[in-house]
Amino acid sequence: MQIAIVLYPDFTALDVVGPYEVLGRLPGAEVVFVAEDPGLVRNDQRSLVVSPEATLDEVTNPDIVLVGGGPGSRLQLDDGKLHEWLRAVDRTSTWTTSVCTGAPILAAAGLLRGRRATTHWAAMEVLARFGAIPVHDRVVVDGHYVSGAGVSAGIDMSLMLAGRIAGDDVAQMVQLIIEYAPEPPYAAGSLDVAPESVVERARAALAR
């Protein structure tokens, strides 16, 4: 089972590393990080560099496709090589998935038209612009498309997918191995509960 995780400049690390930690532990999993061009890819905080194992041209038939988000996703909305690749591999993939603002990339490629999907709370209108149906849920499944909301939701999305692929027992085993039992010290993880002052600071930070 080949799992292709897409990298591009200014990606958010947890968007792809969280799902990698979960899906890479499934029986028979072969994870490959792919990018449009060979060479190192730097994340949005500029301090993490990942070397993709293959270019898009070298991965033609993955079972699972995962596109993470990040500030760099804004530069991946125009039709081009990545979109062509996504449309091609989506024809045979068992699952095409996204985390955070990876969903607008799938939508811009034409894969989510008329489909329900979620993304980071600050990017919901981008989904709608490309014909997807925005849903304010943490994980959304529509056909063979699975989307996770912002950043940390990629772990939830991947655990749900792990259960579908390998069964609940295996998914729970992986959850225990990575000790995923969130107990955040603050109630500020969504627009529904975050104080307005925190929301304003977050919007300003994202705008920068």
Side-chain angles (χ1 to χ4, degrees), residues 4-196:
I5 300 179
V6 174
L7 296 176
Y8 51 80
D10 291 333
F11 71 95
T12 293
L14 187 56
D15 282 14
V16 296
V17 175
Y20 164 77
E21 283 292 339
V22 174
L23 299 175
R25 296 177 186 275
L26 297 182
E30 174 207 349
V31 179
V32 55
F33 286 91
V34 300
E36 185 170 335
D37 300 306
L40 300 176
V41 183
R42 194 174 294 275
N43 81 322
D44 57 345
Q45 296 189 46
R46 314 304 296 162
S47 55
L48 177 68
V49 178
V50 179
S51 178
E53 300 169 77
T55 64
L56 299 178
D57 292 335
E58 295 171 319
V59 178
T60 59
N61 194 34
D63 300 285
I64 300 174
V65 178
L66 186 139
V67 183
S73 64
R74 299 166 187 159
L75 300 179
Q76 305 298 324
L77 298 179
D78 293 332
D79 200 46
K81 189 171 184 178
L82 175 57
H83 289 202
E84 293 170 3
W85 181 83
L86 287 170
R87 287 190 289 265
V89 296
D90 180 65
R91 297 188 190 107
T92 56
S93 66
T94 305
W95 299 100
T96 295
T97 72
S98 64
V99 180
C100 196
T101 52
I105 296 175
L106 294 183
L111 301 181
L112 299 182
R113 186 167 298 278
R115 298 277 187 176
R116 300 167 65 254
T118 190
T119 185
H120 191 280
W121 53 265
M124 286 290 180
E125 72 284 352
V126 184
L127 277 182
R129 188 197 316 162
F130 290 106
I133 303 170
V135 178
H136 290 272
D137 288 343
R138 192 157 174 82
V139 179
V140 174
V141 182
D142 191 329
H144 80 135
Y145 301 100
V146 187
S147 52
V151 192
S152 63
I155 299 175
D156 299 61
M157 184 275 290
S158 300
L159 282 170
M160 185 281 300
L161 192 58
R164 298 252 182 139
I165 294 169
D168 294 340
D169 287 347
V170 172
Q172 290 178 83
M173 178 195 69
V174 172
Q175 181 180 5
L176 179 58
I177 287 173
I178 67 172
E179 201 168 351
Y180 182 59
E183 295 181 9
Y186 304 107
S190 73
L191 290 178
D192 296 334
V193 297
E196 185 57 37

